[in-house]
Amino acid sequence: MSGATTAAYLARRAAQQERVRILYRRSLKDTLNWAVHRHLFYQDASDLRKKFEANKHVEDLDTIDKMIAAGEAMYDKWRHPDPYIVPWAPGGSKFTRNPVPPSGIEIVYDYGKEVND
Amino acid sequence: MAEVRGALLKHLRVNTTSLSLLRYPNPTRNGLFTLTVNAIRRSFFDEVMGSFLDKYEVTDRVLCVVKNFQKVDPSKVSPTAHFQKDLGLDSFDTVEAVMALEEEFGFEIPDNEADKISSINYVVEFIASHPQAK
């Protein structure tokens, strides 16, 4: 275990931390998809957090890689078929529903007023 | 509360005098209308095109959300606070805070961007420059 503080080790750890963060974020969103009611979601989210925290102190890089792969496999297994997407985000139902009108076009509110008034 | 204020400000900005004054400016009328002509034109297009939020409004709302977080000490929250250094949050806590902010402003942050968020400054700039933030 000579590579305690080498750059490659740190780079791998940083990459792993990023993967873990993204995995945690996605699994949290998925938990919200499955558990729609907020009190259920809080319960499930704290359970998820405990699972992540239990493996927090592992030091060996290969074990961490395997655990991340296992976590991602579990995420793929539990993905919701109809996730909640914010309506005006790409993939949502209101996306490009009211597009911006082309420039140079103006609505003149003259209410039938004649020019020679 | 901050949203109501912002909505009120936006509503007051659009002058409801008819836009026919833009087309046929009547020289016998008061000179006041000609001064507000450009203001009306600009605010009309602002309403249509962008809905970028005000930076102060964004800061207010972000600080409210962060203060209501259970693991954060409300007195340490300031507009330049760093999530992990100043507020003492974990990286998991940062992820949860970012999710809470996404829900508050009602838009999606892509995963790679959300990873880079580590201070309130960055959050405010990101949200203020995102056209879909409500």
PDB file of all heavy atoms in Angstrom, chain A residues 18 21 24-26 28-29 32 38 49 52 56 86 88 100-101 106 109, chain B residues 18 41 48-49 71 90 92-93 96 99 102-103 106 109 111 114-115 132:
ATOM      1  N   GLU A  18     -17.009  11.232  -7.158  1.00  0.00           N
ATOM      2  CA  GLU A  18     -17.981  11.846  -8.054  1.00  0.00           C
ATOM      3  C   GLU A  18     -19.043  10.838  -8.465  1.00  0.00           C
ATOM      4  O   GLU A  18     -20.236  11.139  -8.489  1.00  0.00           O
ATOM      5  CB  GLU A  18     -17.247  12.394  -9.285  1.00  0.00           C
ATOM      6  CG  GLU A  18     -18.068  13.355 -10.063  1.00  0.00           C
ATOM      7  CD  GLU A  18     -17.279  13.963 -11.188  1.00  0.00           C
ATOM      8  OE1 GLU A  18     -16.103  14.280 -10.972  1.00  0.00           O
ATOM      9  OE2 GLU A  18     -17.856  14.089 -12.270  1.00  0.00           O
ATOM     10  N   ARG A  21     -21.436  10.387  -5.674  1.00  0.00           N
ATOM     11  CA  ARG A  21     -22.366  11.509  -5.524  1.00  0.00           C
ATOM     12  C   ARG A  21     -23.467  11.436  -6.555  1.00  0.00           C
ATOM     13  O   ARG A  21     -24.640  11.638  -6.250  1.00  0.00           O
ATOM     14  CB  ARG A  21     -21.618  12.829  -5.659  1.00  0.00           C
ATOM     15  CG  ARG A  21     -20.946  13.286  -4.396  1.00  0.00           C
ATOM     16  CD  ARG A  21     -20.670  14.756  -4.492  1.00  0.00           C
ATOM     17  NE  ARG A  21     -19.670  15.056  -5.480  1.00  0.00           N
ATOM     18  CZ  ARG A  21     -18.386  15.223  -5.198  1.00  0.00           C
ATOM     19  NH1 ARG A  21     -17.978  15.092  -3.970  1.00  0.00           N
ATOM     20  NH2 ARG A  21     -17.533  15.494  -6.144  1.00  0.00           N
ATOM     21  N   TYR A  24     -25.854   8.719  -5.686  1.00  0.00           N
ATOM     22  CA  TYR A  24     -26.719   9.082  -4.567  1.00  0.00           C
ATOM     23  C   TYR A  24     -27.828  10.011  -5.035  1.00  0.00           C
ATOM     24  O   TYR A  24     -28.992   9.886  -4.660  1.00  0.00           O
ATOM     25  CB  TYR A  24     -25.884   9.754  -3.471  1.00  0.00           C
ATOM     26  CG  TYR A  24     -26.677  10.163  -2.265  1.00  0.00           C
ATOM     27  CD1 TYR A  24     -27.367   9.223  -1.523  1.00  0.00           C
ATOM     28  CD2 TYR A  24     -26.736  11.484  -1.868  1.00  0.00           C
ATOM     29  CE1 TYR A  24     -28.096   9.588  -0.425  1.00  0.00           C
ATOM     30  CE2 TYR A  24     -27.454  11.855  -0.767  1.00  0.00           C
ATOM     31  CZ  TYR A  24     -28.133  10.914  -0.048  1.00  0.00           C
ATOM     32  OH  TYR A  24     -28.859  11.274   1.051  1.00  0.00           O
ATOM     33  N   ARG A  25     -27.444  10.960  -5.914  1.00  0.00           N
ATOM     34  CA  ARG A  25     -28.422  11.914  -6.415  1.00  0.00           C
ATOM     35  C   ARG A  25     -29.501  11.217  -7.220  1.00  0.00           C
ATOM     36  O   ARG A  25     -30.701  11.458  -7.032  1.00  0.00           O
ATOM     37  CB  ARG A  25     -27.676  12.914  -7.276  1.00  0.00           C
ATOM     38  CG  ARG A  25     -28.442  14.082  -7.708  1.00  0.00           C
ATOM     39  CD  ARG A  25     -27.534  14.917  -8.568  1.00  0.00           C
ATOM     40  NE  ARG A  25     -28.249  15.472  -9.658  1.00  0.00           N
ATOM     41  CZ  ARG A  25     -28.940  16.591  -9.583  1.00  0.00           C
ATOM     42  NH1 ARG A  25     -28.993  17.247  -8.463  1.00  0.00           N
ATOM     43  NH2 ARG A  25     -29.588  17.043 -10.623  1.00  0.00           N
ATOM     44  N   ARG A  26     -29.075  10.318  -8.101  1.00  0.00           N
ATOM     45  CA  ARG A  26     -30.066   9.647  -8.937  1.00  0.00           C
ATOM     46  C   ARG A  26     -30.953   8.741  -8.112  1.00  0.00           C
ATOM     47  O   ARG A  26     -32.167   8.661  -8.362  1.00  0.00           O
ATOM     48  CB  ARG A  26     -29.366   8.815 -10.002  1.00  0.00           C
ATOM     49  CG  ARG A  26     -28.814   9.649 -11.084  1.00  0.00           C
ATOM     50  CD  ARG A  26     -28.444   8.799 -12.239  1.00  0.00           C
ATOM     51  NE  ARG A  26     -27.743   9.600 -13.199  1.00  0.00           N
ATOM     52  CZ  ARG A  26     -26.920   9.111 -14.089  1.00  0.00           C
ATOM     53  NH1 ARG A  26     -26.683   7.821 -14.106  1.00  0.00           N
ATOM     54  NH2 ARG A  26     -26.337   9.914 -14.937  1.00  0.00           N
ATOM     55  N   LEU A  28     -31.715   9.111  -5.039  1.00  0.00           N
ATOM     56  CA  LEU A  28     -32.628   9.933  -4.229  1.00  0.00           C
ATOM     57  C   LEU A  28     -33.815  10.380  -5.061  1.00  0.00           C
ATOM     58  O   LEU A  28     -34.971  10.352  -4.619  1.00  0.00           O
ATOM     59  CB  LEU A  28     -31.858  11.137  -3.687  1.00  0.00           C
ATOM     60  CG  LEU A  28     -32.393  11.810  -2.440  1.00  0.00           C
ATOM     61  CD1 LEU A  28     -32.454  10.842  -1.311  1.00  0.00           C
ATOM     62  CD2 LEU A  28     -31.472  12.962  -2.073  1.00  0.00           C
ATOM     63  N   LYS A  29     -33.545  10.763  -6.319  1.00  0.00           N
ATOM     64  CA  LYS A  29     -34.647  11.185  -7.185  1.00  0.00           C
ATOM     65  C   LYS A  29     -35.573  10.017  -7.485  1.00  0.00           C
ATOM     66  O   LYS A  29     -36.791  10.174  -7.560  1.00  0.00           O
ATOM     67  CB  LYS A  29     -34.084  11.719  -8.494  1.00  0.00           C
ATOM     68  CG  LYS A  29     -33.577  13.086  -8.389  1.00  0.00           C
ATOM     69  CD  LYS A  29     -33.389  13.659  -9.774  1.00  0.00           C
ATOM     70  CE  LYS A  29     -32.861  15.036  -9.632  1.00  0.00           C
ATOM     71  NZ  LYS A  29     -32.381  15.555 -10.867  1.00  0.00           N
ATOM     72  N   LEU A  32     -37.846   9.430  -4.727  1.00  0.00           N
ATOM     73  CA  LEU A  32     -38.962  10.367  -4.754  1.00  0.00           C
ATOM     74  C   LEU A  32     -39.983   9.948  -5.801  1.00  0.00           C
ATOM     75  O   LEU A  32     -41.187  10.128  -5.619  1.00  0.00           O
ATOM     76  CB  LEU A  32     -38.441  11.782  -5.045  1.00  0.00           C
ATOM     77  CG  LEU A  32     -39.480  12.887  -4.938  1.00  0.00           C
ATOM     78  CD1 LEU A  32     -40.120  12.884  -3.597  1.00  0.00           C
ATOM     79  CD2 LEU A  32     -38.812  14.220  -5.190  1.00  0.00           C
ATOM     80  N   ARG A  38     -44.801  12.512   0.829  1.00  0.00           N
ATOM     81  CA  ARG A  38     -43.573  13.058   1.379  1.00  0.00           C
ATOM     82  C   ARG A  38     -43.111  12.319   2.623  1.00  0.00           C
ATOM     83  O   ARG A  38     -41.907  12.123   2.815  1.00  0.00           O
ATOM     84  CB  ARG A  38     -43.806  14.542   1.696  1.00  0.00           C
ATOM     85  CG  ARG A  38     -42.601  15.354   1.586  1.00  0.00           C
ATOM     86  CD  ARG A  38     -42.159  15.515   0.164  1.00  0.00           C
ATOM     87  NE  ARG A  38     -40.818  16.091   0.169  1.00  0.00           N
ATOM     88  CZ  ARG A  38     -40.182  16.554  -0.862  1.00  0.00           C
ATOM     89  NH1 ARG A  38     -40.749  16.522  -2.013  1.00  0.00           N
ATOM     90  NH2 ARG A  38     -38.996  17.057  -0.762  1.00  0.00           N
ATOM     91  N   ARG A  49     -29.724   6.821   2.922  1.00  0.00           N
ATOM     92  CA  ARG A  49     -28.558   7.522   3.447  1.00  0.00           C
ATOM     93  C   ARG A  49     -27.767   6.624   4.376  1.00  0.00           C
ATOM     94  O   ARG A  49     -26.543   6.610   4.366  1.00  0.00           O
ATOM     95  CB  ARG A  49     -29.060   8.758   4.181  1.00  0.00           C
ATOM     96  CG  ARG A  49     -28.020   9.599   4.788  1.00  0.00           C
ATOM     97  CD  ARG A  49     -27.326  10.411   3.728  1.00  0.00           C
ATOM     98  NE  ARG A  49     -26.155  11.044   4.293  1.00  0.00           N
ATOM     99  CZ  ARG A  49     -26.114  12.280   4.665  1.00  0.00           C
ATOM    100  NH1 ARG A  49     -27.161  13.051   4.519  1.00  0.00           N
ATOM    101  NH2 ARG A  49     -25.028  12.774   5.184  1.00  0.00           N
ATOM    102  N   PHE A  52     -25.666   4.221   2.415  1.00  0.00           N
ATOM    103  CA  PHE A  52     -24.464   4.838   1.871  1.00  0.00           C
ATOM    104  C   PHE A  52     -23.447   5.101   2.961  1.00  0.00           C
ATOM    105  O   PHE A  52     -22.242   4.945   2.773  1.00  0.00           O
ATOM    106  CB  PHE A  52     -24.822   6.158   1.174  1.00  0.00           C
ATOM    107  CG  PHE A  52     -25.148   6.005  -0.276  1.00  0.00           C
ATOM    108  CD1 PHE A  52     -26.407   5.643  -0.692  1.00  0.00           C
ATOM    109  CD2 PHE A  52     -24.179   6.231  -1.234  1.00  0.00           C
ATOM    110  CE1 PHE A  52     -26.710   5.507  -2.031  1.00  0.00           C
ATOM    111  CE2 PHE A  52     -24.477   6.096  -2.577  1.00  0.00           C
ATOM    112  CZ  PHE A  52     -25.741   5.734  -2.967  1.00  0.00           C
ATOM    113  N   LYS A  56     -19.037   3.982   4.124  1.00  0.00           N
ATOM    114  CA  LYS A  56     -18.281   5.202   3.880  1.00  0.00           C
ATOM    115  C   LYS A  56     -16.800   5.041   4.161  1.00  0.00           C
ATOM    116  O   LYS A  56     -15.969   5.718   3.596  1.00  0.00           O
ATOM    117  CB  LYS A  56     -18.836   6.284   4.811  1.00  0.00           C
ATOM    118  CG  LYS A  56     -18.646   7.683   4.345  1.00  0.00           C
ATOM    119  CD  LYS A  56     -19.382   8.597   5.276  1.00  0.00           C
ATOM    120  CE  LYS A  56     -18.859  10.000   5.114  1.00  0.00           C
ATOM    121  NZ  LYS A  56     -19.522  10.920   5.990  1.00  0.00           N
ATOM    122  N   VAL A  86     -39.916  17.622 -14.567  1.00  0.00           N
ATOM    123  CA  VAL A  86     -40.487  18.950 -14.446  1.00  0.00           C
ATOM    124  C   VAL A  86     -41.137  19.315 -15.790  1.00  0.00           C
ATOM    125  O   VAL A  86     -40.538  19.123 -16.831  1.00  0.00           O
ATOM    126  CB  VAL A  86     -39.381  19.952 -14.085  1.00  0.00           C
ATOM    127  CG1 VAL A  86     -39.912  21.342 -14.035  1.00  0.00           C
ATOM    128  CG2 VAL A  86     -38.757  19.571 -12.776  1.00  0.00           C
ATOM    129  N   TRP A  88     -41.713  21.843 -17.734  1.00  0.00           N
ATOM    130  CA  TRP A  88     -41.099  22.669 -18.774  1.00  0.00           C
ATOM    131  C   TRP A  88     -39.655  22.293 -19.038  1.00  0.00           C
ATOM    132  O   TRP A  88     -38.934  23.037 -19.670  1.00  0.00           O
ATOM    133  CB  TRP A  88     -41.198  24.151 -18.395  1.00  0.00           C
ATOM    134  CG  TRP A  88     -40.953  24.385 -16.967  1.00  0.00           C
ATOM    135  CD1 TRP A  88     -39.755  24.539 -16.354  1.00  0.00           C
ATOM    136  CD2 TRP A  88     -41.935  24.481 -15.947  1.00  0.00           C
ATOM    137  NE1 TRP A  88     -39.943  24.727 -15.017  1.00  0.00           N
ATOM    138  CE2 TRP A  88     -41.267  24.692 -14.737  1.00  0.00           C
ATOM    139  CE3 TRP A  88     -43.327  24.394 -15.933  1.00  0.00           C
ATOM    140  CZ2 TRP A  88     -41.935  24.818 -13.531  1.00  0.00           C
ATOM    141  CZ3 TRP A  88     -43.989  24.521 -14.733  1.00  0.00           C
ATOM    142  CH2 TRP A  88     -43.289  24.734 -13.545  1.00  0.00           C
ATOM    143  N   VAL A 100     -41.462  30.906 -27.955  1.00  0.00           N
ATOM    144  CA  VAL A 100     -41.318  32.349 -28.042  1.00  0.00           C
ATOM    145  C   VAL A 100     -41.741  32.798 -29.443  1.00  0.00           C
ATOM    146  O   VAL A 100     -41.293  32.225 -30.425  1.00  0.00           O
ATOM    147  CB  VAL A 100     -39.854  32.733 -27.768  1.00  0.00           C
ATOM    148  CG1 VAL A 100     -39.658  34.195 -27.989  1.00  0.00           C
ATOM    149  CG2 VAL A 100     -39.475  32.324 -26.371  1.00  0.00           C
ATOM    150  N   PRO A 101     -42.631  33.797 -29.581  1.00  0.00           N
ATOM    151  CA  PRO A 101     -43.041  34.222 -30.926  1.00  0.00           C
ATOM    152  C   PRO A 101     -41.867  34.837 -31.661  1.00  0.00           C
ATOM    153  O   PRO A 101     -40.950  35.364 -31.035  1.00  0.00           O
ATOM    154  CB  PRO A 101     -44.131  35.266 -30.657  1.00  0.00           C
ATOM    155  CG  PRO A 101     -43.941  35.678 -29.276  1.00  0.00           C
ATOM    156  CD  PRO A 101     -43.330  34.544 -28.541  1.00  0.00           C
ATOM    157  N   GLU A 106     -45.506  42.325 -33.445  1.00  0.00           N
ATOM    158  CA  GLU A 106     -46.056  43.015 -32.293  1.00  0.00           C
ATOM    159  C   GLU A 106     -47.558  42.989 -32.375  1.00  0.00           C
ATOM    160  O   GLU A 106     -48.120  42.984 -33.459  1.00  0.00           O
ATOM    161  CB  GLU A 106     -45.615  44.477 -32.340  1.00  0.00           C
ATOM    162  CG  GLU A 106     -44.826  44.910 -31.142  1.00  0.00           C
ATOM    163  CD  GLU A 106     -44.432  46.346 -31.319  1.00  0.00           C
ATOM    164  OE1 GLU A 106     -45.333  47.175 -31.452  1.00  0.00           O
ATOM    165  OE2 GLU A 106     -43.234  46.595 -31.348  1.00  0.00           O
ATOM    166  N   TYR A 109     -52.689  46.956 -29.826  1.00  0.00           N
ATOM    167  CA  TYR A 109     -53.987  46.988 -29.163  1.00  0.00           C
ATOM    168  C   TYR A 109     -54.652  48.323 -29.432  1.00  0.00           C
ATOM    169  O   TYR A 109     -54.578  49.225 -28.613  1.00  0.00           O
ATOM    170  CB  TYR A 109     -53.808  46.833 -27.654  1.00  0.00           C
ATOM    171  CG  TYR A 109     -53.285  45.479 -27.249  1.00  0.00           C
ATOM    172  CD1 TYR A 109     -51.970  45.321 -26.870  1.00  0.00           C
ATOM    173  CD2 TYR A 109     -54.122  44.371 -27.248  1.00  0.00           C
ATOM    174  CE1 TYR A 109     -51.503  44.093 -26.485  1.00  0.00           C
ATOM    175  CE2 TYR A 109     -53.649  43.154 -26.861  1.00  0.00           C
ATOM    176  CZ  TYR A 109     -52.341  43.019 -26.492  1.00  0.00           C
ATOM    177  OH  TYR A 109     -51.884  41.798 -26.114  1.00  0.00           O
TER     178      TYR A 109
ATOM    179  N   SER B  18     -52.439  51.832 -24.163  1.00  0.00           N
ATOM    180  CA  SER B  18     -52.475  51.051 -25.401  1.00  0.00           C
ATOM    181  C   SER B  18     -51.227  51.310 -26.226  1.00  0.00           C
ATOM    182  O   SER B  18     -50.666  52.398 -26.218  1.00  0.00           O
ATOM    183  CB  SER B  18     -53.722  51.428 -26.193  1.00  0.00           C
ATOM    184  OG  SER B  18     -53.602  52.751 -26.654  1.00  0.00           O
ATOM    185  N   ARG B  41     -41.974  49.458 -24.840  1.00  0.00           N
ATOM    186  CA  ARG B  41     -41.477  48.503 -25.835  1.00  0.00           C
ATOM    187  C   ARG B  41     -40.589  47.470 -25.182  1.00  0.00           C
ATOM    188  O   ARG B  41     -40.720  46.290 -25.415  1.00  0.00           O
ATOM    189  CB  ARG B  41     -40.627  49.231 -26.872  1.00  0.00           C
ATOM    190  CG  ARG B  41     -41.360  49.759 -28.034  1.00  0.00           C
ATOM    191  CD  ARG B  41     -40.373  49.985 -29.144  1.00  0.00           C
ATOM    192  NE  ARG B  41     -40.643  49.109 -30.253  1.00  0.00           N
ATOM    193  CZ  ARG B  41     -41.329  49.484 -31.326  1.00  0.00           C
ATOM    194  NH1 ARG B  41     -41.823  50.679 -31.403  1.00  0.00           N
ATOM    195  NH2 ARG B  41     -41.517  48.654 -32.315  1.00  0.00           N
ATOM    196  N   VAL B  48     -42.151  38.638 -22.923  1.00  0.00           N
ATOM    197  CA  VAL B  48     -42.306  37.524 -23.855  1.00  0.00           C
ATOM    198  C   VAL B  48     -41.074  36.632 -23.855  1.00  0.00           C
ATOM    199  O   VAL B  48     -41.152  35.428 -23.755  1.00  0.00           O
ATOM    200  CB  VAL B  48     -42.562  38.078 -25.265  1.00  0.00           C
ATOM    201  CG1 VAL B  48     -42.397  36.986 -26.290  1.00  0.00           C
ATOM    202  CG2 VAL B  48     -43.957  38.627 -25.346  1.00  0.00           C
ATOM    203  N   MET B  49     -39.895  37.274 -23.956  1.00  0.00           N
ATOM    204  CA  MET B  49     -38.687  36.488 -24.191  1.00  0.00           C
ATOM    205  C   MET B  49     -38.207  35.776 -22.947  1.00  0.00           C
ATOM    206  O   MET B  49     -38.470  34.609 -22.728  1.00  0.00           O
ATOM    207  CB  MET B  49     -37.549  37.407 -24.656  1.00  0.00           C
ATOM    208  CG  MET B  49     -37.844  38.146 -25.885  1.00  0.00           C
ATOM    209  SD  MET B  49     -37.984  37.087 -27.292  1.00  0.00           S
ATOM    210  CE  MET B  49     -37.745  38.261 -28.592  1.00  0.00           C
ATOM    211  N   LYS B  71     -29.704  20.204   8.995  1.00  0.00           N
ATOM    212  CA  LYS B  71     -28.340  20.031   9.493  1.00  0.00           C
ATOM    213  C   LYS B  71     -27.539  21.312   9.465  1.00  0.00           C
ATOM    214  O   LYS B  71     -26.357  21.308   9.772  1.00  0.00           O
ATOM    215  CB  LYS B  71     -27.628  18.995   8.633  1.00  0.00           C
ATOM    216  CG  LYS B  71     -28.354  17.702   8.704  1.00  0.00           C
ATOM    217  CD  LYS B  71     -27.713  16.649   7.860  1.00  0.00           C
ATOM    218  CE  LYS B  71     -28.647  15.466   7.845  1.00  0.00           C
ATOM    219  NZ  LYS B  71     -28.321  14.473   6.877  1.00  0.00           N
ATOM    220  N   ASP B  90     -21.710  17.488   4.638  1.00  0.00           N
ATOM    221  CA  ASP B  90     -21.095  16.367   3.953  1.00  0.00           C
ATOM    222  C   ASP B  90     -21.322  16.515   2.454  1.00  0.00           C
ATOM    223  O   ASP B  90     -22.130  17.333   2.030  1.00  0.00           O
ATOM    224  CB  ASP B  90     -21.799  15.114   4.458  1.00  0.00           C
ATOM    225  CG  ASP B  90     -20.868  13.954   4.474  1.00  0.00           C
ATOM    226  OD1 ASP B  90     -19.693  14.177   4.138  1.00  0.00           O
ATOM    227  OD2 ASP B  90     -21.328  12.873   4.806  1.00  0.00           O
ATOM    228  N   PHE B  92     -22.818  14.241   0.752  1.00  0.00           N
ATOM    229  CA  PHE B  92     -24.201  13.763   0.599  1.00  0.00           C
ATOM    230  C   PHE B  92     -25.187  14.862   0.951  1.00  0.00           C
ATOM    231  O   PHE B  92     -26.244  15.014   0.336  1.00  0.00           O
ATOM    232  CB  PHE B  92     -24.468  12.558   1.502  1.00  0.00           C
ATOM    233  CG  PHE B  92     -23.809  11.308   1.028  1.00  0.00           C
ATOM    234  CD1 PHE B  92     -23.453  10.332   1.917  1.00  0.00           C
ATOM    235  CD2 PHE B  92     -23.550  11.099  -0.308  1.00  0.00           C
ATOM    236  CE1 PHE B  92     -22.844   9.173   1.494  1.00  0.00           C
ATOM    237  CE2 PHE B  92     -22.940   9.954  -0.741  1.00  0.00           C
ATOM    238  CZ  PHE B  92     -22.585   8.978   0.166  1.00  0.00           C
ATOM    239  N   ASP B  93     -24.856  15.646   1.983  1.00  0.00           N
ATOM    240  CA  ASP B  93     -25.724  16.749   2.353  1.00  0.00           C
ATOM    241  C   ASP B  93     -25.791  17.788   1.257  1.00  0.00           C
ATOM    242  O   ASP B  93     -26.841  18.405   1.040  1.00  0.00           O
ATOM    243  CB  ASP B  93     -25.221  17.407   3.643  1.00  0.00           C
ATOM    244  CG  ASP B  93     -25.357  16.481   4.818  1.00  0.00           C
ATOM    245  OD1 ASP B  93     -26.306  15.703   4.832  1.00  0.00           O
ATOM    246  OD2 ASP B  93     -24.507  16.568   5.707  1.00  0.00           O
ATOM    247  N   GLU B  96     -28.226  16.602  -1.207  1.00  0.00           N
ATOM    248  CA  GLU B  96     -29.603  16.803  -0.757  1.00  0.00           C
ATOM    249  C   GLU B  96     -30.002  18.264  -0.855  1.00  0.00           C
ATOM    250  O   GLU B  96     -31.147  18.595  -1.225  1.00  0.00           O
ATOM    251  CB  GLU B  96     -29.755  16.322   0.682  1.00  0.00           C
ATOM    252  CG  GLU B  96     -29.713  14.820   0.814  1.00  0.00           C
ATOM    253  CD  GLU B  96     -29.824  14.385   2.256  1.00  0.00           C
ATOM    254  OE1 GLU B  96     -30.113  15.244   3.108  1.00  0.00           O
ATOM    255  OE2 GLU B  96     -29.611  13.208   2.520  1.00  0.00           O
ATOM    256  N   MET B  99     -30.809  19.112  -4.377  1.00  0.00           N
ATOM    257  CA  MET B  99     -32.134  18.603  -4.761  1.00  0.00           C
ATOM    258  C   MET B  99     -33.235  19.476  -4.224  1.00  0.00           C
ATOM    259  O   MET B  99     -34.239  19.728  -4.892  1.00  0.00           O
ATOM    260  CB  MET B  99     -32.310  17.180  -4.225  1.00  0.00           C
ATOM    261  CG  MET B  99     -31.927  16.155  -5.216  1.00  0.00           C
ATOM    262  SD  MET B  99     -32.675  14.598  -4.879  1.00  0.00           S
ATOM    263  CE  MET B  99     -34.374  14.954  -5.123  1.00  0.00           C
ATOM    264  N   GLU B 102     -33.471  22.446  -6.391  1.00  0.00           N
ATOM    265  CA  GLU B 102     -34.138  22.111  -7.652  1.00  0.00           C
ATOM    266  C   GLU B 102     -35.632  22.113  -7.483  1.00  0.00           C
ATOM    267  O   GLU B 102     -36.379  22.578  -8.350  1.00  0.00           O
ATOM    268  CB  GLU B 102     -33.731  20.709  -8.083  1.00  0.00           C
ATOM    269  CG  GLU B 102     -32.620  20.629  -9.056  1.00  0.00           C
ATOM    270  CD  GLU B 102     -32.521  19.216  -9.609  1.00  0.00           C
ATOM    271  OE1 GLU B 102     -33.482  18.446  -9.461  1.00  0.00           O
ATOM    272  OE2 GLU B 102     -31.483  18.921 -10.172  1.00  0.00           O
ATOM    273  N   GLU B 103     -36.100  21.557  -6.361  1.00  0.00           N
ATOM    274  CA  GLU B 103     -37.544  21.492  -6.150  1.00  0.00           C
ATOM    275  C   GLU B 103     -38.108  22.870  -5.907  1.00  0.00           C
ATOM    276  O   GLU B 103     -39.221  23.175  -6.340  1.00  0.00           O
ATOM    277  CB  GLU B 103     -37.856  20.597  -4.960  1.00  0.00           C
ATOM    278  CG  GLU B 103     -37.674  19.145  -5.287  1.00  0.00           C
ATOM    279  CD  GLU B 103     -38.071  18.261  -4.137  1.00  0.00           C
ATOM    280  OE1 GLU B 103     -38.301  18.795  -3.042  1.00  0.00           O
ATOM    281  OE2 GLU B 103     -38.143  17.067  -4.352  1.00  0.00           O
ATOM    282  N   GLY B 106     -38.036  24.649  -9.301  1.00  0.00           N
ATOM    283  CA  GLY B 106     -38.830  23.953 -10.289  1.00  0.00           C
ATOM    284  C   GLY B 106     -38.134  23.721 -11.605  1.00  0.00           C
ATOM    285  O   GLY B 106     -38.751  23.867 -12.652  1.00  0.00           O
ATOM    286  N   ILE B 109     -31.458  20.322 -12.885  1.00  0.00           N
ATOM    287  CA  ILE B 109     -30.029  20.574 -13.081  1.00  0.00           C
ATOM    288  C   ILE B 109     -29.410  19.274 -13.580  1.00  0.00           C
ATOM    289  O   ILE B 109     -29.630  18.223 -12.976  1.00  0.00           O
ATOM    290  CB  ILE B 109     -29.361  20.970 -11.744  1.00  0.00           C
ATOM    291  CG1 ILE B 109     -30.129  22.097 -11.092  1.00  0.00           C
ATOM    292  CG2 ILE B 109     -27.948  21.392 -11.984  1.00  0.00           C
ATOM    293  CD1 ILE B 109     -29.500  22.560  -9.817  1.00  0.00           C
ATOM    294  N   ASP B 111     -26.712  16.262 -14.184  1.00  0.00           N
ATOM    295  CA  ASP B 111     -25.908  15.636 -13.135  1.00  0.00           C
ATOM    296  C   ASP B 111     -24.506  16.204 -13.039  1.00  0.00           C
ATOM    297  O   ASP B 111     -23.981  16.403 -11.943  1.00  0.00           O
ATOM    298  CB  ASP B 111     -25.822  14.127 -13.388  1.00  0.00           C
ATOM    299  CG  ASP B 111     -27.121  13.450 -13.015  1.00  0.00           C
ATOM    300  OD1 ASP B 111     -27.861  14.018 -12.203  1.00  0.00           O
ATOM    301  OD2 ASP B 111     -27.399  12.363 -13.547  1.00  0.00           O
ATOM    302  N   ALA B 114     -24.582  19.549 -11.364  1.00  0.00           N
ATOM    303  CA  ALA B 114     -24.932  19.502  -9.949  1.00  0.00           C
ATOM    304  C   ALA B 114     -23.737  19.083  -9.115  1.00  0.00           C
ATOM    305  O   ALA B 114     -23.638  19.446  -7.948  1.00  0.00           O
ATOM    306  CB  ALA B 114     -26.071  18.515  -9.741  1.00  0.00           C
ATOM    307  N   ASP B 115     -22.837  18.339  -9.719  1.00  0.00           N
ATOM    308  CA  ASP B 115     -21.656  17.908  -8.983  1.00  0.00           C
ATOM    309  C   ASP B 115     -20.742  19.074  -8.661  1.00  0.00           C
ATOM    310  O   ASP B 115     -20.048  19.075  -7.654  1.00  0.00           O
ATOM    311  CB  ASP B 115     -20.919  16.892  -9.856  1.00  0.00           C
ATOM    312  CG  ASP B 115     -20.310  15.826  -9.009  1.00  0.00           C
ATOM    313  OD1 ASP B 115     -20.832  15.598  -7.898  1.00  0.00           O
ATOM    314  OD2 ASP B 115     -19.326  15.234  -9.430  1.00  0.00           O
ATOM    315  N   GLN B 132     -35.069  28.934 -17.370  1.00  0.00           N
ATOM    316  CA  GLN B 132     -36.293  28.235 -17.023  1.00  0.00           C
ATOM    317  C   GLN B 132     -36.561  28.223 -15.533  1.00  0.00           C
ATOM    318  O   GLN B 132     -37.424  27.502 -15.078  1.00  0.00           O
ATOM    319  CB  GLN B 132     -36.226  26.792 -17.512  1.00  0.00           C
ATOM    320  CG  GLN B 132     -36.457  26.713 -18.976  1.00  0.00           C
ATOM    321  CD  GLN B 132     -36.144  25.335 -19.501  1.00  0.00           C
ATOM    322  OE1 GLN B 132     -35.391  24.593 -18.899  1.00  0.00           O
ATOM    323  NE2 GLN B 132     -36.724  25.011 -20.617  1.00  0.00           N
TER     324      GLN B 132
END
